[in-house]
Amino acid sequence: MPKLFEYLGLILFFYSNEHEPIHCHAVCGEFESKIEFLIENGEIVEIIIKNVKGRKPIEGKDLQNLKELLEYKANEVVVKWIDYFVYHKKINFERITKKLK
């Protein structure tokens, strides 16, 4: 389970056996959401935050922090997905300790 980012109590990560479409997961305590990236012509055109079956979704301030993180790091998440699942490279984890906005 490669971890990507930690930000204000949120952890973005991949499960080791992921599949397309390109996506990641976010957890904050007992809450979890799935983030899908819709890509056209090499550009992210939409980011969709979905519920995960059997888990409570991330809500409120934590959801706003997740959206903020994705605003700044979405392209890096996609690059890390490709590096990990296509090129089988090691993924570097980043702990972000300051507010992004």
XYZ file of all heavy atoms in Angstrom:
853
model
N 0.833 -1.173 0.000
C 0.000 0.000 0.000
C 0.888 1.251 0.000
O 1.237 1.773 1.047
C -0.906 -0.024 1.240
C -1.815 1.157 1.345
S -2.991 1.011 2.711
C -2.073 1.844 3.993
N 1.279 1.706 -1.182
C 2.138 2.898 -1.251
C 1.406 4.163 -0.801
O 0.322 4.466 -1.290
C 2.508 3.000 -2.724
C 2.055 1.745 -3.367
C 1.055 1.113 -2.480
N 2.000 4.861 0.167
C 1.457 6.140 0.612
C 2.034 7.234 -0.282
O 3.216 7.204 -0.637
C 1.811 6.411 2.066
C 1.075 5.497 3.006
C 1.091 5.901 4.466
C 2.337 6.432 5.041
N 2.279 6.619 6.503
N 1.193 8.215 -0.637
C 1.610 9.305 -1.511
C 1.857 10.586 -0.729
O 2.920 11.183 -0.822
C 0.536 9.558 -2.580
C 0.036 8.344 -3.337
C -1.124 8.717 -4.231
C 1.162 7.727 -4.118
N 0.814 11.024 -0.016
C 0.873 12.284 0.717
C 0.170 12.144 2.063
O -0.791 11.391 2.190
C 0.161 13.403 -0.063
C 0.754 13.699 -1.400
C 0.171 13.217 -2.558
C 1.897 14.475 -1.509
C 0.709 13.479 -3.796
C 2.449 14.748 -2.745
C 1.854 14.250 -3.898
N 0.643 12.915 3.027
C -0.077 13.112 4.280
C -0.269 14.606 4.418
O 0.668 15.391 4.236
C 0.716 12.577 5.465
C -0.025 12.725 6.779
C 0.747 12.171 7.957
O 1.524 11.223 7.771
O 0.565 12.701 9.070
N -1.524 15.006 4.711
C -1.842 16.428 4.792
C -2.978 16.633 5.787
O -4.087 16.158 5.581
C -2.238 16.946 3.403
C -2.632 18.394 3.354
C -1.720 19.397 3.659
C -3.912 18.774 2.989
C -2.070 20.735 3.604
C -4.283 20.111 2.925
C -3.351 21.082 3.230
O -3.700 22.417 3.180
N -2.699 17.315 6.870
C -3.706 17.673 7.878
C -4.549 16.482 8.314
O -5.773 16.552 8.395
C -4.604 18.795 7.335
C -3.884 20.091 6.930
C -4.876 21.069 6.325
C -3.151 20.711 8.098
N -3.894 15.369 8.569
C -4.589 14.170 9.036
C -5.091 13.258 7.931
O -5.530 12.144 8.188
N -5.041 13.710 6.686
C -5.441 12.891 5.532
C -4.237 12.121 5.007
O -3.120 12.646 4.989
C -5.938 13.783 4.390
C -7.246 14.503 4.579
C -7.334 15.672 3.610
C -8.396 13.542 4.352
N -4.472 10.914 4.570
C -3.426 10.143 3.910
C -3.951 9.708 2.549
O -5.010 9.084 2.459
C -3.004 8.926 4.743
C -2.417 9.389 6.075
C -1.999 8.076 3.966
C -2.069 8.282 7.033
N -3.217 10.072 1.488
C -3.527 9.613 0.134
C -2.638 8.426 -0.166
O -1.421 8.464 0.116
C -3.233 10.716 -0.882
C -4.415 11.413 -1.536
C -5.294 12.052 -0.512
C -3.964 12.365 -2.589
N -3.231 7.373 -0.759
C -2.461 6.160 -1.013
C -3.077 5.369 -2.158
O -4.203 5.641 -2.589
C -2.402 5.287 0.248
C -3.741 4.734 0.668
C -4.122 3.461 0.291
C -4.625 5.493 1.419
C -5.358 2.950 0.669
C -5.857 4.998 1.795
C -6.227 3.721 1.417
N -2.319 4.391 -2.644
C -2.813 3.393 -3.593
C -2.900 2.063 -2.867
O -2.061 1.766 -2.015
C -1.823 3.164 -4.751
C -1.489 4.353 -5.574
C -0.172 4.620 -5.914
C -2.469 5.198 -6.067
C 0.167 5.690 -6.708
C -2.140 6.281 -6.864
C -0.822 6.535 -7.184
N -3.890 1.251 -3.206
C -3.829 -0.148 -2.837
C -2.882 -0.808 -3.822
O -2.776 -0.393 -4.981
C -5.215 -0.804 -2.891
C -6.094 -0.429 -1.724
C -7.191 0.402 -1.896
C -5.822 -0.900 -0.450
C -8.000 0.748 -0.824
C -6.626 -0.564 0.628
C -7.713 0.261 0.432
O -8.502 0.610 1.498
N -2.168 -1.834 -3.419
C -1.137 -2.447 -4.253
C -1.669 -3.128 -5.508
O -0.933 -3.335 -6.451
C -0.337 -3.459 -3.435
O 0.336 -2.791 -2.404
N -2.958 -3.461 -5.532
C -3.517 -4.178 -6.680
C -4.522 -3.319 -7.441
O -5.553 -3.809 -7.872
C -4.187 -5.471 -6.214
C -5.287 -5.205 -5.196
O -5.384 -4.116 -4.645
N -6.106 -6.194 -4.942
N -4.218 -2.040 -7.628
C -5.154 -1.113 -8.270
C -5.383 -1.449 -9.734
O -4.693 -2.261 -10.330
C -4.660 0.325 -8.145
C -4.669 0.850 -6.741
C -6.049 1.079 -6.142
O -7.048 0.485 -6.593
O -6.127 1.852 -5.190
N -6.342 -0.785 -10.306
C -6.784 -1.003 -11.685
C -7.178 0.351 -12.264
O -7.273 1.341 -11.543
C -7.993 -1.943 -11.675
C -9.044 -1.479 -10.701
N -9.950 -0.482 -10.981
C -9.278 -1.832 -9.410
C -10.720 -0.266 -9.923
N -10.326 -1.075 -8.947
N -7.387 0.386 -13.545
C -7.874 1.615 -14.162
C -9.350 1.784 -13.866
O -10.028 0.791 -13.602
C -7.627 1.561 -15.668
C -6.146 1.649 -15.991
C -5.874 1.830 -17.467
O -6.640 2.566 -18.140
O -4.918 1.228 -17.944
N -9.884 2.975 -13.863
C -9.235 4.236 -14.208
C -8.246 4.656 -13.120
O -8.284 4.150 -11.996
C -10.395 5.223 -14.304
C -11.429 4.686 -13.371
C -11.290 3.183 -13.465
N -7.385 5.581 -13.484
C -6.397 6.087 -12.530
C -7.144 6.669 -11.331
O -8.050 7.489 -11.483
C -5.493 7.137 -13.188
C -4.632 6.467 -14.268
C -4.632 7.843 -12.142
C -3.770 7.420 -15.062
N -6.783 6.195 -10.155
C -7.424 6.670 -8.930
C -6.527 6.420 -7.731
O -5.534 5.707 -7.817
C -8.787 5.996 -8.732
C -8.696 4.537 -8.432
N -8.472 3.585 -9.392
C -8.789 3.875 -7.257
C -8.436 2.394 -8.825
N -8.628 2.540 -7.522
N -6.910 7.039 -6.621
C -6.225 6.795 -5.356
C -7.295 6.793 -4.265
O -8.481 6.985 -4.548
C -5.152 7.849 -5.086
S -5.761 9.524 -4.837
N -6.870 6.560 -3.058
C -7.772 6.553 -1.912
C -7.256 7.549 -0.885
O -6.059 7.815 -0.812
C -7.833 5.152 -1.293
C -8.442 4.145 -2.205
N -9.741 3.730 -2.091
C -7.927 3.478 -3.268
C -10.006 2.846 -3.039
N -8.916 2.675 -3.763
N -8.190 8.071 -0.098
C -7.841 8.967 0.997
C -8.507 8.452 2.262
O -9.673 8.050 2.228
C -8.308 10.386 0.703
N -7.760 8.440 3.336
C -8.324 8.094 4.637
C -8.031 9.222 5.618
O -7.020 9.912 5.515
C -7.790 6.752 5.214
C -8.221 5.581 4.373
C -6.302 6.781 5.394
N -8.962 9.358 6.542
C -8.793 10.291 7.646
C -9.515 9.651 8.819
O -10.756 9.630 8.849
C -9.372 11.656 7.294
S -8.974 12.916 8.505
N -8.752 9.053 9.710
C -9.360 8.306 10.804
C -10.114 7.107 10.250
O -9.577 6.334 9.470
N -11.391 6.999 10.595
C -12.200 5.860 10.149
C -12.901 6.135 8.813
O -13.665 5.314 8.325
C -13.248 5.531 11.211
C -14.244 6.653 11.427
C -15.176 6.422 12.593
O -14.784 6.808 13.722
O -16.276 5.879 12.379
N -12.642 7.275 8.213
C -13.318 7.690 6.985
C -12.434 7.423 5.768
O -11.210 7.574 5.837
C -13.677 9.173 7.052
C -14.545 9.499 8.233
C -13.985 9.910 9.432
C -15.924 9.372 8.150
C -14.782 10.196 10.532
C -16.737 9.656 9.240
C -16.163 10.066 10.439
N -13.057 7.051 4.647
C -12.301 6.779 3.425
C -13.129 7.199 2.209
O -14.335 6.979 2.154
C -11.961 5.297 3.301
C -11.163 4.973 2.056
C -10.728 3.524 1.947
O -10.890 2.765 2.928
O -10.230 3.145 0.881
N -12.459 7.785 1.238
C -13.061 8.124 -0.044
C -12.105 7.710 -1.153
O -10.900 7.567 -0.925
C -13.351 9.622 -0.144
O -14.353 9.998 0.778
N -12.659 7.524 -2.337
C -11.891 7.155 -3.528
C -11.890 8.357 -4.471
O -12.920 9.024 -4.629
C -12.556 5.950 -4.196
C -11.906 5.488 -5.459
C -12.667 4.273 -5.998
C -12.187 3.879 -7.368
N -12.927 2.707 -7.874
N -10.747 8.629 -5.088
C -10.617 9.759 -5.989
C -10.244 9.237 -7.370
O -9.199 8.601 -7.538
C -9.536 10.756 -5.499
C -9.874 11.276 -4.106
C -9.398 11.913 -6.475
C -9.186 10.560 -2.986
N -11.106 9.507 -8.366
C -10.835 9.109 -9.743
C -10.447 10.327 -10.555
O -11.001 11.416 -10.376
C -12.067 8.460 -10.376
C -12.356 7.090 -9.851
C -13.488 6.392 -10.599
O -14.053 6.962 -11.552
O -13.809 5.267 -10.197
N -9.501 10.124 -11.460
C -9.013 11.182 -12.319
C -9.412 10.865 -13.756
O -8.983 9.848 -14.302
C -7.489 11.293 -12.219
C -7.016 11.584 -10.822
C -6.775 10.555 -9.921
C -6.835 12.886 -10.395
C -6.354 10.814 -8.629
C -6.417 13.154 -9.100
C -6.173 12.121 -8.220
N -10.249 11.712 -14.352
C -10.621 11.540 -15.747
C -9.629 12.337 -16.588
O -9.448 13.544 -16.372
C -12.041 12.008 -15.994
C -13.126 11.274 -15.207
C -14.497 11.819 -15.558
C -13.069 9.778 -15.455
N -9.005 11.649 -17.538
C -7.929 12.245 -18.316
C -8.275 12.182 -19.797
O -8.674 11.133 -20.296
C -6.601 11.520 -18.024
C -6.269 11.644 -16.541
C -5.475 12.070 -18.898
C -5.124 10.805 -16.073
N -8.126 13.313 -20.480
C -8.310 13.385 -21.923
C -7.120 14.125 -22.511
O -6.753 15.197 -22.020
C -9.606 14.116 -22.277
C -10.861 13.357 -21.890
C -12.134 14.112 -22.217
O -12.069 15.175 -22.887
O -13.205 13.649 -21.793
N -6.539 13.558 -23.551
C -5.387 14.171 -24.216
C -4.282 14.559 -23.245
O -3.680 15.622 -23.350
C -5.825 15.391 -25.028
C -6.789 15.022 -26.124
O -6.624 13.999 -26.795
N -7.813 15.831 -26.312
N -4.036 13.687 -22.255
C -2.951 13.902 -21.310
C -3.218 14.940 -20.235
O -2.314 15.275 -19.471
N -4.442 15.440 -20.142
C -4.795 16.457 -19.146
C -5.911 15.934 -18.241
O -6.838 15.270 -18.706
C -5.290 17.739 -19.829
C -4.269 18.420 -20.710
C -3.151 19.075 -19.939
O -3.419 19.568 -18.816
O -2.014 19.095 -20.441
N -5.830 16.270 -16.970
C -6.913 15.942 -16.047
C -8.075 16.882 -16.364
O -7.925 18.100 -16.284
C -6.483 16.105 -14.584
C -5.334 15.154 -14.249
C -7.671 15.865 -13.642
C -4.704 15.399 -12.899
N -9.216 16.309 -16.732
C -10.388 17.132 -17.050
C -11.416 17.125 -15.919
O -12.263 18.008 -15.851
C -11.048 16.711 -18.383
C -10.102 16.982 -19.544
C -11.486 15.266 -18.357
N -11.328 16.115 -15.063
C -12.259 16.052 -13.941
C -11.695 15.174 -12.844
O -11.037 14.166 -13.118
C -13.612 15.495 -14.406
C -14.700 15.587 -13.366
C -16.058 15.142 -13.894
O -16.162 14.688 -15.039
O -17.019 15.253 -13.117
N -11.955 15.561 -11.609
C -11.596 14.766 -10.436
C -12.900 14.445 -9.722
O -13.664 15.351 -9.371
C -10.642 15.522 -9.506
C -9.338 15.842 -10.237
C -10.373 14.711 -8.239
C -8.405 16.764 -9.479
N -13.153 13.149 -9.524
C -14.402 12.705 -8.914
C -14.092 12.029 -7.578
O -13.314 11.078 -7.540
C -15.149 11.714 -9.831
C -15.410 12.365 -11.188
C -16.442 11.248 -9.183
C -15.842 11.390 -12.251
N -14.706 12.523 -6.516
C -14.544 11.923 -5.195
C -15.750 11.030 -4.955
O -16.894 11.500 -5.006
C -14.403 13.003 -4.111
C -13.174 13.869 -4.395
C -14.325 12.360 -2.722
C -13.009 15.065 -3.485
N -15.489 9.743 -4.716
C -16.558 8.749 -4.571
C -16.527 8.119 -3.181
O -15.484 8.081 -2.535
C -16.385 7.639 -5.607
C -16.551 8.090 -7.032
C -16.452 6.905 -7.965
C -16.949 7.265 -9.353
N -17.016 6.085 -10.209
N -17.669 7.568 -2.798
C -17.744 6.795 -1.569
C -17.119 5.425 -1.797
O -17.099 4.920 -2.914
C -19.200 6.612 -1.137
C -19.848 7.926 -0.742
O -19.182 8.930 -0.533
N -21.155 7.914 -0.650
N -16.633 4.822 -0.730
C -16.084 3.467 -0.752
C -17.074 2.577 -0.016
O -17.454 2.871 1.127
C -14.698 3.416 -0.071
C -14.187 1.991 0.029
C -13.704 4.309 -0.818
N -17.491 1.517 -0.667
C -18.485 0.610 -0.087
C -18.007 0.097 1.276
O -16.870 -0.351 1.432
C -18.717 -0.566 -1.030
C -19.823 -1.485 -0.590
C -20.069 -2.584 -1.593
C -21.197 -3.477 -1.140
N -21.491 -4.525 -2.111
N -18.897 0.208 2.256
C -18.590 -0.282 3.598
C -17.792 0.673 4.460
O -17.450 0.348 5.592
N -17.475 1.853 3.935
C -16.719 2.852 4.706
C -17.487 4.159 4.765
O -18.212 4.506 3.839
C -15.349 3.111 4.057
C -14.451 1.889 3.893
C -13.942 1.321 5.215
N -13.284 2.259 6.084
C -11.962 2.383 6.204
N -11.157 1.636 5.487
N -11.454 3.262 7.046
N -17.312 4.910 5.830
C -17.913 6.235 5.928
C -17.087 7.194 5.065
O -15.853 7.181 5.144
C -17.898 6.719 7.372
C -18.715 5.886 8.323
C -18.550 6.425 9.729
C -19.105 5.467 10.749
N -18.796 5.919 12.113
N -17.742 8.051 4.259
C -16.980 8.970 3.399
C -16.382 10.135 4.183
O -16.899 10.536 5.229
C -18.036 9.470 2.412
C -19.324 9.350 3.140
C -19.180 8.144 4.043
N -15.320 10.659 3.656
C -14.701 11.859 4.226
C -15.668 13.025 4.002
O -16.195 13.196 2.904
C -13.333 12.116 3.572
C -12.367 10.973 3.915
C -12.772 13.467 3.992
C -11.050 11.014 3.179
N -15.890 13.812 5.040
C -16.870 14.899 4.977
C -16.329 16.159 5.645
O -15.273 16.133 6.281
C -18.160 14.491 5.705
C -18.860 13.298 5.115
C -20.083 12.883 5.919
O -20.081 13.071 7.162
O -21.032 12.381 5.306
N -17.088 17.230 5.513
C -16.830 18.476 6.236
C -15.469 19.087 5.943
O -15.030 19.148 4.797
N -14.820 19.538 7.008
C -13.522 20.211 6.871
C -12.477 19.278 6.254
O -11.650 19.715 5.455
C -13.053 20.710 8.239
C -11.766 21.478 8.188
C -11.369 21.995 9.553
C -10.060 22.755 9.439
N -9.542 23.167 10.730
N -12.526 17.998 6.599
C -11.572 17.045 6.030
C -11.766 16.909 4.520
O -10.798 16.799 3.774
C -11.687 15.675 6.706
C -11.258 15.730 8.167
O -10.316 16.497 8.487
O -11.862 15.027 8.987
N -13.017 16.949 4.058
C -13.294 16.900 2.619
C -12.756 18.159 1.944
O -12.173 18.081 0.856
C -14.797 16.748 2.365
C -15.217 16.690 0.900
C -14.550 15.532 0.163
C -16.737 16.593 0.792
N -12.914 19.297 2.572
C -12.370 20.536 2.009
C -10.843 20.472 1.936
O -10.242 20.906 0.942
C -12.823 21.751 2.829
C -14.294 22.045 2.705
C -14.746 22.191 1.260
O -14.104 22.861 0.457
N -15.852 21.556 0.915
N -10.205 19.913 2.971
C -8.752 19.759 2.957
C -8.323 18.791 1.848
O -7.295 19.005 1.193
C -8.244 19.274 4.308
C -8.344 20.336 5.372
O -8.359 21.535 5.088
N -8.415 19.913 6.625
N -9.114 17.740 1.621
C -8.822 16.792 0.546
C -8.901 17.490 -0.802
O -8.007 17.334 -1.650
C -9.789 15.606 0.600
C -9.696 14.590 -0.538
C -8.298 13.990 -0.635
C -10.752 13.506 -0.367
N -9.938 18.274 -1.018
C -10.074 19.003 -2.285
C -8.923 19.974 -2.488
O -8.418 20.125 -3.600
C -11.418 19.741 -2.318
C -12.600 18.802 -2.457
C -13.912 19.563 -2.420
C -15.099 18.626 -2.579
N -16.383 19.365 -2.514
N -8.509 20.620 -1.416
C -7.369 21.538 -1.470
C -6.090 20.782 -1.867
O -5.336 21.230 -2.729
C -7.203 22.200 -0.111
C -6.106 23.215 -0.018
C -6.101 23.846 1.362
O -7.058 24.562 1.699
O -5.132 23.593 2.111
N -5.870 19.650 -1.245
C -4.695 18.834 -1.568
C -4.720 18.419 -3.037
O -3.709 18.512 -3.740
C -4.643 17.607 -0.657
C -3.519 16.604 -0.907
C -2.155 17.258 -0.746
C -3.663 15.416 0.024
N -5.869 17.990 -3.515
C -5.985 17.556 -4.906
C -5.778 18.717 -5.878
O -5.218 18.535 -6.959
C -7.345 16.903 -5.145
C -7.549 15.580 -4.412
C -9.009 15.160 -4.505
C -6.619 14.507 -4.943
N -6.212 19.912 -5.490
C -6.014 21.090 -6.332
C -4.526 21.302 -6.616
O -4.140 21.667 -7.720
C -6.608 22.314 -5.626
C -6.444 23.612 -6.373
C -7.016 24.791 -5.600
O -7.900 24.596 -4.744
O -6.558 25.921 -5.858
N -3.703 21.050 -5.623
C -2.260 21.281 -5.754
C -1.478 20.050 -6.211
O -0.398 20.193 -6.785
C -1.681 21.762 -4.411
C -2.032 23.191 -4.109
C -3.192 23.497 -3.401
C -1.228 24.231 -4.538
C -3.533 24.815 -3.129
C -1.556 25.553 -4.272
C -2.716 25.837 -3.569
O -3.047 27.143 -3.310
N -1.981 18.854 -5.944
C -1.171 17.659 -6.146
C -1.757 16.638 -7.133
O -1.205 15.551 -7.284
C -0.931 16.954 -4.798
C -0.179 17.800 -3.783
C 1.238 18.064 -4.235
C 2.042 18.783 -3.168
N 3.451 18.941 -3.550
N -2.848 16.943 -7.813
C -3.501 15.971 -8.696
C -2.556 15.438 -9.770
O -2.489 14.229 -10.011
C -4.741 16.584 -9.339
N -1.830 16.317 -10.431
C -0.914 15.862 -11.484
C 0.168 14.935 -10.925
O 0.529 13.949 -11.566
C -0.272 17.046 -12.216
C -1.249 17.731 -13.141
O -2.047 17.085 -13.808
N -1.212 19.049 -13.167
N 0.647 15.238 -9.726
C 1.653 14.376 -9.099
C 1.078 13.003 -8.769
O 1.774 11.997 -8.892
C 2.208 15.027 -7.834
C 3.118 16.195 -8.117
C 3.683 16.793 -6.837
O 4.263 16.037 -6.033
O 3.517 18.017 -6.652
N -0.186 12.956 -8.353
C -0.831 11.669 -8.064
C -0.875 10.828 -9.331
O -0.537 9.642 -9.316
C -2.251 11.851 -7.484
C -2.966 10.514 -7.386
C -2.185 12.524 -6.120
N -1.261 11.430 -10.450
C -1.339 10.697 -11.717
C 0.046 10.204 -12.131
O 0.204 9.046 -12.545
C -1.985 11.573 -12.813
C -1.868 10.908 -14.180
C -3.440 11.855 -12.470
N 1.053 11.041 -12.011
C 2.420 10.630 -12.354
C 2.862 9.468 -11.466
O 3.438 8.486 -11.940
C 3.404 11.824 -12.241
C 4.848 11.355 -12.298
C 3.122 12.835 -13.344
N 2.567 9.550 -10.174
C 2.939 8.470 -9.257
C 2.196 7.185 -9.600
O 2.765 6.098 -9.507
C 2.654 8.878 -7.793
C 3.632 9.931 -7.279
C 3.295 10.343 -5.862
C 4.181 11.468 -5.395
N 4.949 11.148 -4.221
N 0.928 7.285 -10.009
C 0.153 6.095 -10.408
C 0.826 5.417 -11.594
O 1.031 4.205 -11.596
C -1.277 6.506 -10.747
C -2.254 5.371 -10.803
C -3.083 4.964 -9.799
C -2.513 4.487 -11.899
N -3.837 3.888 -10.214
C -3.506 3.577 -11.504
C -1.995 4.382 -13.187
C -3.993 2.580 -12.328
C -2.478 3.383 -14.027
C -3.465 2.499 -13.591
N 1.177 6.206 -12.595
C 1.832 5.658 -13.792
C 3.196 5.073 -13.428
O 3.540 3.962 -13.855
C 1.949 6.736 -14.888
C 0.547 7.101 -15.397
C 2.848 6.263 -16.033
C 0.482 8.355 -16.238
N 3.975 5.805 -12.646
C 5.292 5.300 -12.235
C 5.167 3.970 -11.498
O 5.929 3.037 -11.753
C 6.011 6.317 -11.336
C 6.613 7.465 -12.112
O 6.684 7.394 -13.355
O 7.025 8.456 -11.461
N 4.198 3.873 -10.597
C 4.079 2.674 -9.769
C 3.481 1.495 -10.536
O 4.016 0.387 -10.505
C 3.238 2.978 -8.522
C 3.232 1.841 -7.534
C 4.314 1.623 -6.685
C 2.149 0.971 -7.445
C 4.321 0.580 -5.783
C 2.144 -0.072 -6.544
C 3.229 -0.270 -5.727
O 3.236 -1.305 -4.835
N 2.366 1.720 -11.220
C 1.643 0.608 -11.836
C 2.101 0.277 -13.256
O 1.923 -0.853 -13.698
C 0.132 0.869 -11.816
C -0.430 0.831 -10.433
C -0.790 1.998 -9.792
C -0.574 -0.370 -9.750
C -1.290 1.976 -8.498
C -1.065 -0.412 -8.454
C -1.424 0.771 -7.833
N 2.680 1.232 -13.962
C 3.148 0.970 -15.330
C 4.645 0.685 -15.341
O 5.087 -0.322 -15.894
C 2.799 2.143 -16.275
C 3.365 1.901 -17.674
C 1.286 2.358 -16.332
N 5.421 1.560 -14.707
C 6.878 1.424 -14.746
C 7.455 0.676 -13.544
O 8.655 0.423 -13.489
C 7.529 2.799 -14.848
C 7.182 3.507 -16.136
C 6.491 4.710 -16.132
C 7.527 2.968 -17.369
C 6.158 5.361 -17.308
C 7.203 3.609 -18.554
C 6.515 4.797 -18.509
O 6.185 5.436 -19.680
N 6.620 0.351 -12.567
C 7.023 -0.397 -11.366
C 8.165 0.282 -10.610
O 9.070 -0.365 -10.108
C 7.388 -1.842 -11.729
C 6.300 -2.521 -12.484
N 5.114 -2.907 -11.910
C 6.198 -2.848 -13.801
C 4.341 -3.464 -12.827
N 4.962 -3.437 -13.979
N 8.068 1.597 -10.530
C 9.048 2.390 -9.789
C 8.607 2.540 -8.338
O 7.427 2.443 -8.016
C 9.177 3.792 -10.388
C 9.813 3.844 -11.751
C 9.908 5.290 -12.194
C 10.561 5.436 -13.537
N 10.618 6.874 -13.937
N 9.580 2.818 -7.487
C 9.291 3.121 -6.083
C 8.654 4.513 -6.007
O 9.024 5.417 -6.735
C 10.592 3.102 -5.279
C 10.394 3.327 -3.807
C 11.720 3.254 -3.073
C 11.462 3.339 -1.592
N 11.845 4.578 -0.998
N 7.687 4.650 -5.118
C 6.981 5.922 -4.939
C 7.496 6.615 -3.687
O 7.608 5.995 -2.624
C 5.458 5.662 -4.793
C 4.905 4.990 -6.031
C 4.707 6.952 -4.505
C 5.073 5.761 -7.304
N 7.783 7.916 -3.811
C 8.226 8.688 -2.657
C 7.021 9.290 -1.936
O 6.120 9.831 -2.557
C 9.172 9.813 -3.092
C 10.480 9.260 -3.590
O 11.008 8.309 -3.030
N 10.999 9.838 -4.653
N 7.032 9.167 -0.628
C 5.993 9.703 0.242
C 6.358 11.125 0.640
O 7.527 11.431 0.880
C 5.887 8.809 1.487
C 5.044 9.378 2.576
C 3.675 9.455 2.425
C 5.617 9.838 3.745
C 2.881 9.980 3.452
C 4.845 10.353 4.768
C 3.464 10.429 4.611
N 5.356 12.010 0.681
C 5.591 13.392 1.079
C 4.625 13.772 2.191
O 3.409 13.646 2.042
C 5.390 14.330 -0.115
C 5.647 15.780 0.200
C 5.408 16.699 -0.991
O 5.212 16.215 -2.117
O 5.392 17.920 -0.764
N 5.173 14.240 3.299
C 4.362 14.759 4.408
C 4.337 16.278 4.259
O 5.387 16.925 4.268
C 4.963 14.355 5.750
C 4.157 14.856 6.933
C 4.662 14.299 8.252
N 4.249 12.902 8.370
C 5.082 11.865 8.444
N 6.390 12.050 8.425
N 4.621 10.642 8.566
N 3.148 16.820 4.113
C 2.990 18.261 3.941
C 2.563 18.826 5.299
O 1.498 18.480 5.813
C 1.935 18.573 2.852
C 2.366 17.937 1.532
C 1.746 20.080 2.707
C 1.281 17.881 0.494
N 3.404 19.671 5.862
C 3.176 20.138 7.230
C 2.583 21.540 7.299
O 2.213 21.984 8.384
C 4.492 20.099 8.035
O 5.464 20.905 7.366
C 4.995 18.667 8.152
N 2.526 22.246 6.158
C 1.965 23.597 6.152
C 0.719 23.625 5.267
O 0.652 22.915 4.277
C 2.987 24.593 5.631
C 4.195 24.751 6.525
C 5.141 25.777 5.998
C 6.341 25.864 6.922
N 7.323 26.833 6.447
N -0.213 24.468 5.633
C -1.443 24.663 4.860
C -1.070 25.086 3.434
O -0.208 25.927 3.232
C -2.305 25.723 5.544
C -3.689 25.798 5.076
C -4.594 24.947 5.914
C -6.035 25.320 5.656
N -6.811 24.271 5.065
N -1.712 24.475 2.436
C -1.393 24.761 1.043
C -1.991 26.080 0.562
O -1.439 26.734 -0.310
C -1.872 23.617 0.147
C -1.113 22.307 0.322
C -1.802 21.169 -0.411
C 0.319 22.454 -0.153
N -3.133 26.467 1.103
C -3.775 27.738 0.697
C -3.539 28.793 1.717
O -3.476 28.581 2.869
C -5.279 27.527 0.533
C -5.656 27.136 -0.844
C -7.166 27.199 -0.965
C -7.553 27.061 -2.412
N -8.974 26.948 -2.591
